[in-house]
Amino acid sequence: MGCRKSTCTWAQNLKVGSEYRQYTVQLVRQIGCFCEEYRIYVNGQEMEEHGLKYNPCAPLCCPGGEFEWKQDGHSFMLMFNSLSWTNFSGGFRLFIDGIDVNTGREFSAFWRCRGLQIVFVGLVFLLVGIALALTFHYALSGREKYVLNFFPYFAISSGLFDILWGLIPVIKYRKPHHPSVTVEYTSSNAV
């Protein structure tokens, strides 16, 4: 089916009862020209029925691109990272109990950070495009000016697109995905 096969593996020690147990999650991707097929293994056992579907813009738009399951009192979520710099070879993240296995960030903090990184890259492209446009406008004249103006306008439009694309997760995940547990302490020694 696929043109290429890719494997992502995550390992994490989790507390189950009074002992720690290692969990290994492996995602095998058969990458085709227009679609992908997935096989998920947890501790060597293949998950027969999973809901992971191909969605290149997950979780920013459209449903799909993620699969959640619970095992031994822990929640697992395997999700496509549309803001990854290496979408073709990597691009997937595993969150256990709402924490990214690779970075240790909470779900919404991870997406806000990724969004801010994309916004920063967009601002750099925008500034470079404006600087090039101004330079070409004042330094060149005639035919060269019109031929070379393609590059600054491409950088400006790319920067604006990146800024808008990065603002989506910043706005969408401004609140925590998993509510934090608050503990209230009371004293029985009233005076």
Side-chain angles (χ1 to χ4, degrees), residues 6-63:
S6 172
T7 303
C8 301
T9 304
W10 299 271
Q12 185 80 17
N13 289 326
L14 299 174
K15 190 169 186 173
V16 178
S18 62
E19 62 184 35
Y20 281 90
R21 189 180 307 165
Q22 184 175 22
Y23 285 84
T24 304
V25 177
Q26 188 175 43
L27 173 67
V28 178
R29 299 168 60 196
Q30 286 290 121
I31 302 169
C33 296
F34 299 106
C35 63
E36 295 185 13
E37 285 185 9
Y38 306 107
R39 292 191 346 225
I40 301 172
Y41 298 91
V42 179
N43 292 338
Q45 300 287 329
E46 183 174 3
M47 298 185 84
E48 294 297 325
E49 305 237 353
H50 60 79
L52 192 60
K53 303 226 182 320
Y54 181 70
N55 180 4
C57 70
L60 304 180
C61 60
C62 305

Side-chain angles (χ1 to χ4, degrees), residues 9 28 30 33 38 48-50 56 63 67-68 86 121 126 132 137 161 166 168 173 187:
T9 304
V28 178
Q30 286 290 121
C33 296
Y38 306 107
E48 294 297 325
E49 305 237 353
H50 60 79
F67 173 59
E68 292 186 67
T86 58
V121 169
L126 185 65
L132 286 175
H137 179 73
F161 176 78
I168 292 171
Y173 296 111
S187 173

Side-chain angles (χ1 to χ4, degrees), residues 121-131 155-157 159-160 163:
V121 169
L123 285 173
V124 169
F125 272 105
L126 185 65
L127 292 175
V128 167
I130 291 171
I156 290 171
S157 61
L160 290 174
I163 290 170

